[in-house]
Amino acid sequence: MARQASKSVARARQKKKYVYFYGFGRQHTEGDASMKAILGGKGANLAEMAKAGLPVPPGFTISTEACAYFSKHGGKYPAGMLEQVRANLAKLEKMMGKKLGDPRNPLLVSVRSGAAISMPGMMDTVLNLGLTDKSVRGFIRQTGNERAGWDCYRRFIDMFGDVVMGPSTGLCHHDFEQALTKIKKKYGAKEDTDLTASQLKELVEIYKKVYRNKVKKPFPQDPAAQLDLAIRAVFSSWDSERARKYRQINKITGLLGTAVNVVTMVFGNMGDDSGTGVAFTRDGATGEAKPMGEYLVNAQGEDVVAGIRTPHPLEDMPKETNPAWKRVYKELQNIMTRLERHYKHPQDVEFTVEQGKLWMLQTRNAKRTGLAGVRWAVEMATGRDVFTGKPQPKILTPKEALLSLTGQDLEQLLFPIFDPVAEKKADFLGAGLPAGPGAAVGKIVFHADQAEEMVRKNPREKVILVRHETSPEDVGGMWAAQGILTTTGGMTSHAAVVARGWGKCCITGASAFGIDYRKRVVTVGRRVLREGDWISLNGSTGRAYAGQIPSQESPIIGAVSGRDRKAARHPFYKMFKQVSDWSDTFRKMKVRTNADTPADASLARAFGAEGIGLCRTEHMFFEGERIWAIREFILAEDRKAREKALAKLLPYQRRDFEGIFSAMRGLPVTIRLLDPPLHEFVPREPKEQAEMAKRLGTSQARVAARVRQLHEFNPMLGHRGCRLSITYPELCVMQTRAIIEAACNVEKRKRIKVLPEIMVPLVGSRTELDFLAGIIRQTADDIITRRKSKVKYSVGTMIEVPRAALTADEIAETAEFFSFGTNDLTQMTFGFSRDDIGTFLPDYLEKKILPSDPFQHIDSSGVGQLVKMGVERGRHTRPNLKCGICGEHGGDPASVKFCYRAGLNYVSCSPFRVPIARLAAAQAAIKR
C-alpha cells in the first residue's frame, strides 16, 4: 500500500505543470496577468501582452514553484520539469522554424528572471543563448550581418561567464571589460559600436581565453547544456546576497522564488535601424503625465539598464537619421498608452527594435518616488494636471487611486527640501540627471560596503554614495546612503530605478565628475573633493554642491500649520489634501494622535487627528523647575512631604492640560497617568547628584542612597505604571486634580467642550484598576461638584500586560475604555526587551525566524490575538466599550489595517504619521 501511495504521489508530481508557453496570439498562450505568483511579474505580463496581440517575442516561463523546489532540494529540479522544458522548447522551435543553436538556422534565446514582485537588477539574465563557434556562422548567414553575429557572441560569452560561471569561479564582467578596453585602445575605437566585424571576431577569441583561464574549461559548445546551466543560475540568483538584501530592505516576504523566462531573441544590435530601450508611461521622478525613457541605437538591452553608456532621451527618437525610428516612436507611444489604461497603473516597459520592427520585452508597474505616486493617483482619478490644470483622461476611481498608494508615498511629501535662498548662494559643482527627487546632504563615500559599514557603526552618519555606476551588489550601501550620484547612466539606469523605488535622492549621468577610486577623490574641473568631504544633492534638479546646504520644511507643513499661507496653493499641498479628503470619505476607523504639548496637539489636529489617544504626563516633568519638584517628591520620606512637593507640580500640570484641551477644541483627550519608574527622574553621575543635594538642601549621601534604592534589575517590569500610584496614591490625586481642574477652567473660560479620558497604565488585574479608579472618581467628582461644572470624564486603562488581555472581561466592569499599549504588550508577550532586541533581531530576520521587527509591525498571530481577545472579552462585558491602540504600531500601515479588522474604534500615532494612518484606515475599509 505504501509503495502504491508513493507511486501515485510521484505520478501527481510528474503531472504538475511547471512550464507555460506564450506567444503567437491568444490560442497558444498559457497564463495571464493574474498568475504573477506562479509566472512572476515578467512572465505573467508577457502572457497578458501576447493575448492582447502586442508584438511580443514568443517563449515559455518556468514557474516560481519550480524555483521553490530547486531552493529547498539542494539545486535539484522537480520531477517532470525538464521534460516540460524540452517539450516547450520543441514547440517554440517548430513555430519559429529554427532550432536552438543549429549551425545552419539557429534559434537564440534569452534566459531572464522575474519574481512576482519587481526586484530591478537583483537577479540574473543571459542574452544570446544558443551561440557557439558553429551557430554564430549560421546566424551571420541567416541575418547577413557579420558584425552583429560576432557582437552577440562576445556579449553572450561575457554574460554567461559572469552570471552562470561567476559565482563558482570568480569570473566577472570586469574581466571581460578589461579585454574590451584593450581592444578599443588597440584600434582607436571610442565606443564598442565603433569596432568592426573582424575586430569583434578577434575579441571573441580573447573572451574565450579569459573564460578558460578562470573556469579551467573551454566555453561550452552544447546549446542544451548552456540552457540547463543558465536556468540553474537564474534559480540560484534568487538566494544571492544582493537579492536577499533587497528583499529584506523592501520587506518582501512570502514569495516562492523567481520564474525563468526563456524568450526568443530579438536583436537591437543589427545596425542604425535597430536599438533597445526602457520607457515609462509617466515620469517616475516628478509624476508628470509625459512618457519618459531612454534608448540606444545598435545596442542590446543590458547596455541601457547597466548605465555603462549614457543613452538618448525618448523624445530624440523621431530625430534619428534612419526614418524607421519615427514610425517606431509613434507605435511605442500608442502601445504605452494602451498598457497604462489596461493595467490602470503607469508602466515601465523594455523594448527592442530589430531592423525597424518594434518588440515589447516586458511591462510592469513602474517604480516611482512618493511624489510621483501621489501625483499619478490624484491626476489619474481627477482627470486634471495638478500643476497646470490641464485635462487628462480619467483612468482610476478615487478608491482605486487610494489603493495604489503607500504610507511612504505620503511620508515623502513631508520630507524637507533645500532652502532656496541658501541653495542660490551654494558652491555649485556640476549637474546630472534628476533621477530621484528630494534633498540629500552627506559625506562622500566611493564604495557601497563602506557606506553600509559606516552607517551600521553610527546610524546617524550621513553619507552620499558617489560611483561611476551602481550594480545590484551595491544595494546595501545605496540603502544606507542619504543620496546617490553616478557619473554615467540615465534616468532608467540601475541607480535611478532602485533609488526612485525607495524615494531616495539620486543624480545620474553627472559626466563632469571624474572619480579616482584608488586615490579616493572626485574631480570636477579643477576642483578636487576627497572621501569624507561634504556634498549636497538636489535630486529634483540634478544639481550637486560642495558643502552642506540647510533645508527647510515641506510646503505641506507650512500650509497645514498655517505658518505659510502661500503654501496652501502649492501643488504638493493640493495633492496631499485630495488624498486626505478621499481617505476620510472611505475610512470608518478614527485616527487620533500621541501628543504631549499644545504645539504637537495643534499640528496633529491640522493633519486630521480626531483627538489625542495618548498624552504622556511624564514628559511634562522634565521641563524647567518642575524636574526639581518631582525630585523633591522622590526624596520625600512621608506622605505630607510628598504632597508638598506634588503641590508645586500641580499648577504646571494643570497649565499643560489647559493648553492641550484648548488646542483640541472639543475632541477627546486620553491622558495616561505617570508610567515610567522613578529612577528615570534622578541623576546617576556624582556631580549631578551633588547639584541635586545642594538644590534640595540635603546631603549628597542621601541623594546617592535614594538613587541606589531606586535601582531595579528589570525596571520595565518593576515599580512603574499603576504600581507607582498604588504605592503613592497622592500622585494619582494630584494628576487627577490637574486634569479635571484644567477641564473645568477651559470649559468655563473658553466655552470649549472638553472630553478628558483618564487612563491608568500597566494594569494586570481588575483589583489594581478598582483601587485607582476609586481615587480618580472621588477626586474628579468632588471638583466637578464644587465647581458646578458639566465636564464629563471617563476612566479606562491601557491593555499592555498579557494578563489584562486574558481577563479583559473582568477589567471592563470598571474600565470605560481600553487602549492597547502594543509596545509593552509586544515586549511582554515575546519576552523581548525593546531596548536590547538590536543585538539579535538582525539574525532573526536574516534567518527568517521572524518575518519582521515585531515592534514595527504588529505580530498578528501572537500579540494580535491578545488584542482581538481583549476587544471581544471587554465588549462581552461592556458592549459599547471604546477600544484603541496607542503604541508605535498606530502609525504603521499594516498594523492599522490589522486594527481595523480587530474591531478597534481608533488608532493613535505621532502627529506626522496621522495622514499615513488615515490612508491606511481608508484602504482597510475599501478592501473589507
Side-chain angles (χ1 to χ4, degrees):
M1 290 287 288
R3 196 173 296 170
Q4 285 179 339
S6 64
K7 281 182 180 179
S8 57
V9 168
R11 279 196 300 271
R13 281 180 181 162
Q14 285 176 353
K15 288 178 184 177
K16 183 171 177 63
K17 190 169 181 63
Y18 289 109
V19 184
Y20 297 76
F21 194 87
Y22 68 86
F24 300 105
R26 180 176 291 273
Q27 66 272 29
H28 293 288
T29 298
E30 303 168 311
D32 54 40
S34 68
M35 296 178 66
K36 284 185 180 178
I38 303 299
L39 300 181
K42 190 173 292 172
N45 288 331
L46 283 168
E48 187 82 359
M49 287 195 291
K51 280 188 169 178
L54 296 181
V56 175
F60 55 87
T61 300
I62 307 170
S63 75
T64 58
E65 292 174 313
C67 179
Y69 186 97
F70 181 91
S71 297
K72 288 177 185 174
H73 294 83
K76 292 181 180 177
Y77 292 146
M81 189 205 90
L82 207 51
E83 290 79 4
Q84 291 177 37
V85 168
R86 289 174 186 145
N88 279 272
L89 177 60
K91 180 178 179 179
L92 182 63
E93 288 173 332
K94 182 179 179 182
M95 298 185 83
M96 292 299 295
K98 301 176 182 179
K99 194 170 178 63
L100 183 68
D102 185 75
R104 291 198 181 105
N105 191 20
L107 171 69
L108 303 184
V109 296
S110 63
V111 179
R112 312 182 76 195
S113 61
I117 296 174
S118 174
M119 298 168 55
M122 294 303 115
M123 292 170 294
D124 290 326
T125 293
V126 178
L127 304 182
N128 306 316
L129 189 140
L131 280 174
T132 64
D133 292 348
K134 291 179 180 177
S135 65
V136 68
R137 299 182 186 280
F139 176 82
I140 291 167
R141 282 194 299 273
Q142 194 182 61
T143 62
N145 193 326
E146 185 181 8
R147 190 195 176 282
W150 294 113
D151 187 45
C152 287
Y153 198 12
R154 67 97 183 171
R155 290 171 182 273
F156 176 45
I157 297 169
D158 180 345
M159 294 188 80
F160 189 91
D162 176 40
V163 169
V164 179
M165 306 309 297
S168 59
T169 65
L171 181 61
C172 67
H173 171 69
H174 182 66
D175 297 320
F176 296 106
E177 196 68 16
Q178 283 182 316
L180 176 61
T181 301
K182 284 179 184 176
I183 205 164
K184 281 177 10 184
K185 191 174 182 182
K186 176 180 175 180
Y187 291 110
K190 190 176 179 182
E191 300 282 353
D192 54 5
T193 50
D194 298 328
L195 293 171
T196 66
S198 61
Q199 291 160 0
L200 286 167
K201 183 179 179 183
E202 180 184 340
L203 184 60
V204 164
E205 294 305 315
I206 296 169
Y207 273 17
K208 287 198 288 186
K209 287 176 184 175
V210 170
Y211 180 95
R212 184 162 197 155
N213 287 340
K214 278 283 179 81
V215 180
K216 309 303 179 189
K217 292 179 183 176
F219 188 76
Q221 298 296 308
D222 178 1
Q226 292 175 356
L227 180 59
D228 176 61
L229 288 167
I231 291 169
R232 291 177 182 278
V234 174
F235 277 163
S236 298
S237 69
W238 174 255
D239 290 313
S240 67
E241 184 182 353
R242 67 181 188 239
R244 281 189 284 109
K245 189 169 287 184
Y246 185 90
R247 292 197 294 272
Q248 185 178 334
I249 288 170
N250 290 280
K251 299 179 174 64
I252 298 172
T253 58
L255 303 187
L256 293 169
T258 180
V260 175
N261 301 284
V262 179
V263 187
T264 300
M265 277 298 302
V266 287
F267 302 95
N269 56 339
M270 300 289 280
D272 67 358
D273 61 351
S274 303
T276 187
V278 176
F280 296 80
T281 58
R282 297 183 187 227
D283 192 309
T286 67
E288 185 181 3
K290 176 184 173 185
M292 119 183 175
E294 294 163 331
Y295 71 101
L296 285 168
V297 175
N298 200 15
Q300 287 199 320
E302 293 301 302
D303 296 345
V304 178
V305 293
I308 295 165
R309 285 165 58 190
T310 300
H312 311 297
L314 203 63
E315 52 267 29
D316 284 358
M317 253 192 203
K319 302 171 190 172
E320 292 290 343
T321 52
N322 193 301
W325 287 100
K326 196 168 186 177
R327 175 178 45 77
V328 165
Y329 179 73
K330 188 176 180 181
E331 185 182 359
L332 178 63
Q333 297 287 319
N334 290 337
I335 288 174
M336 287 165 68
T337 299
R338 192 173 159 191
L339 287 171
E340 182 174 281
R341 293 190 178 189
H342 178 75
Y343 285 101
K344 292 193 168 189
H345 193 287
Q347 294 296 291
D348 164 6
V349 303
E350 290 180 24
F351 62 90
T352 285
V353 179
E354 180 183 274
Q355 296 181 315
K357 179 170 174 55
L358 175 66
W359 293 94
M360 304 304 295
L361 306 183
Q362 172 173 295
T363 189
R364 60 187 174 192
N365 287 351
K367 299 282 186 186
R368 77 292 193 276
T369 62
L371 164 63
V374 176
R375 185 173 177 183
W376 288 352
V378 171
E379 291 185 353
M380 291 169 78
T382 61
R384 196 163 292 279
D385 188 309
V386 293
F387 281 76
T388 66
K390 291 180 180 177
Q392 295 180 11
K394 274 191 182 183
I395 298 173
L396 301 176
T397 65
K399 284 184 179 181
E400 290 169 331
L402 288 180
L403 292 176
S404 75
L405 295 172
T406 68
Q408 284 184 330
D409 296 335
L410 283 186
E411 200 172 17
Q412 285 177 37
L413 286 185
L414 306 178
F415 285 173
I417 58 176
F418 281 148
D419 180 334
V421 176
E423 187 174 5
K424 252 182 201 177
K425 298 175 183 177
D427 186 1
F428 176 67
L429 290 172
L433 298 170
V441 179
K443 295 175 183 175
I444 293 172
V445 173
F446 294 111
H447 298 285
D449 54 354
Q450 185 183 359
E452 203 172 352
E453 182 63 16
M454 286 172 71
V455 175
R456 187 188 67 78
K457 286 182 177 176
N458 179 11
R460 295 184 179 179
E461 188 78 82
K462 297 186 185 304
V463 300
I464 301 290
L465 185 62
V466 178
R467 303 278 298 161
H468 287 311
E469 75 275 335
T470 63
S471 70
E473 282 74 18
D474 296 329
V475 288
M478 293 169 72
W479 176 252
Q482 297 293 308
I484 302 147
L485 182 145
T486 67
T487 60
T488 62
M491 295 289 282
T492 56
S493 65
H494 175 266
V497 172
V498 172
R500 272 199 299 276
W502 288 340
K504 200 170 283 282
C505 178
C506 179
I507 296 173
T508 59
S511 55
F513 289 70
I515 300 172
D516 188 325
Y517 288 132
R518 189 176 58 81
K519 293 182 180 178
R520 294 179 180 258
V521 297
V522 57
T523 57
V524 192
R526 294 183 179 180
R527 299 287 301 277
V528 178
L529 283 82
R530 303 186 179 281
E531 191 165 68
D533 287 348
W534 287 87
I535 189 172
S536 299
L537 309 182
N538 186 333
S540 301
T541 62
R543 294 169 68 85
Y545 305 86
Q548 304 176 65
I549 301 177
S551 58
Q552 68 176 34
E553 68 183 12
S554 160
I556 293 172
I557 309 297
V560 164
S561 64
R563 289 193 293 267
D564 184 355
R565 290 184 180 179
K566 290 181 182 176
R569 298 193 295 272
H570 196 286
F572 280 24
Y573 177 68
K574 290 179 183 175
M575 293 187 289
F576 172 83
K577 188 174 186 310
Q578 180 65 82
V579 170
S580 298
D581 289 348
W582 281 336
S583 296
D584 291 345
T585 299
F586 298 114
R587 70 184 170 88
K588 294 178 172 59
M589 186 168 63
K590 292 187 178 296
V591 176
R592 296 193 190 184
T593 189
N594 301 340
D596 311 324
T597 67
D600 283 349
S602 296
L603 180 62
R605 179 162 186 164
F607 271 132
E610 297 162 296
I612 291 178
L614 176 62
C615 176
R616 292 162 283 224
T617 54
E618 61 270 11
H619 287 187
M620 303 168 180
F621 290 177
F622 287 97
E623 292 180 19
E625 290 297 309
R626 57 187 82 185
I627 187 64
W628 298 108
I630 191 68
R631 285 174 175 176
E632 183 182 335
F633 164 80
I634 291 168
L635 277 182
E637 294 181 345
D638 56 41
R639 180 170 186 150
K640 187 176 180 180
R642 288 193 295 271
E643 287 177 339
K644 181 183 175 185
L646 290 171
K648 296 176 184 178
L649 268 177
L650 176 62
Y652 291 119
Q653 287 250 285
R654 185 169 54 224
R655 196 178 313 132
D656 289 331
F657 295 138
E658 285 173 355
I660 289 169
F661 291 147
S662 298
M664 294 315 289
R665 301 187 68 81
L667 294 176
V669 178
T670 304
I671 299 166
R672 182 179 72 185
L673 300 183
L674 188 67
D675 183 47
L678 295 180
H679 76 81
E680 290 192 9
F681 300 100
V682 293
R684 296 179 186 177
E685 298 301 320
K687 185 179 178 182
E688 293 171 345
Q689 289 177 1
E691 182 191 357
M692 177 175 166
K694 185 178 179 182
R695 178 72 184 250
L696 297 180
T698 188
S699 68
Q700 186 176 346
R702 184 181 170 214
V703 171
R706 183 62 172 140
V707 171
R708 284 194 300 274
Q709 189 181 24
L710 291 173
H711 172 74
E712 294 176 299
F713 287 107
N714 193 341
M716 288 301 99
L717 296 179
H719 198 190
R720 56 170 285 223
C722 65
R723 299 158 197 170
L724 284 173
S725 288
I726 289 170
T727 301
Y728 307 116
E730 56 273 17
L731 181 60
C732 180
V733 171
M734 184 278 290
Q735 291 202 290
T736 303
R737 276 190 63 190
I739 294 166
I740 299 301
E741 287 175 4
C744 292
N745 291 345
V746 170
E747 193 160 276
K748 184 177 180 180
R749 294 173 193 164
K750 298 190 177 182
R751 306 290 180 186
I752 294 172
K753 187 176 182 181
V754 181
L755 298 170
E757 299 174 343
I758 302 173
M759 182 162 70
V760 180
L762 215 71
V763 162
S765 67
R766 177 188 166 179
T767 49
E768 288 174 316
L769 183 60
D770 285 348
F771 180 85
L772 293 175
I775 295 171
I776 293 166
R777 288 182 174 129
Q778 182 179 340
T779 305
D781 292 346
D782 286 349
I783 295 167
I784 291 168
T785 302
R786 192 169 65 252
R787 295 280 193 97
K788 297 179 180 178
S789 173
K790 295 181 180 178
V791 166
K792 302 290 183 187
Y793 69 93
S794 57
V795 180
T797 186
M798 285 185 86
I799 304 292
E800 48 194 333
V801 176
R803 190 181 189 279
L806 294 170
T807 61
D809 51 342
E810 298 174 10
I811 291 172
E813 292 178 16
T814 302
E816 296 169 273
F817 66 87
F818 284 173
S819 179
F820 289 87
T822 50
N823 297 344
D824 271 318
L825 189 59
T826 299
Q827 195 165 223
M828 294 189 202
T829 303
F830 273 100
F832 292 161
S833 164
R834 190 170 36 151
D835 298 323
D836 301 315
I837 194 173
T839 58
F840 60 87
L841 180 63
D843 298 322
Y844 271 51
L845 296 178
E846 185 181 341
K847 293 169 183 175
K848 299 179 181 176
I849 306 295
L850 289 174
S852 61
D853 181 346
F855 291 101
Q856 286 186 4
H857 309 294
I858 198 163
D859 162 47
S860 58
S861 58
V863 177
Q865 294 310 302
L866 287 172
V867 172
K868 282 185 174 180
M869 185 186 299
V871 173
E872 289 167 5
R873 292 188 177 186
R875 286 179 179 160
H876 179 74
T877 299
R878 191 183 291 266
N880 295 322
L881 182 73
K882 182 161 56 180
C883 296
I885 183 175
C886 62
E888 289 301 311
H889 298 103
D892 169 60
S895 303
V896 171
K897 291 167 188 174
F898 166 81
C899 291
Y900 177 74
R901 294 193 300 272
L904 269 61
N905 299 97
Y906 68 87
V907 295
S908 187
C909 55
S910 63
F912 282 90
R913 302 293 294 177
V914 167
I916 293 152
R918 288 162 74 191
L919 171 63
Q923 290 172 331
I926 291 168
K927 286 181 179 177
R928 188 85 170 208

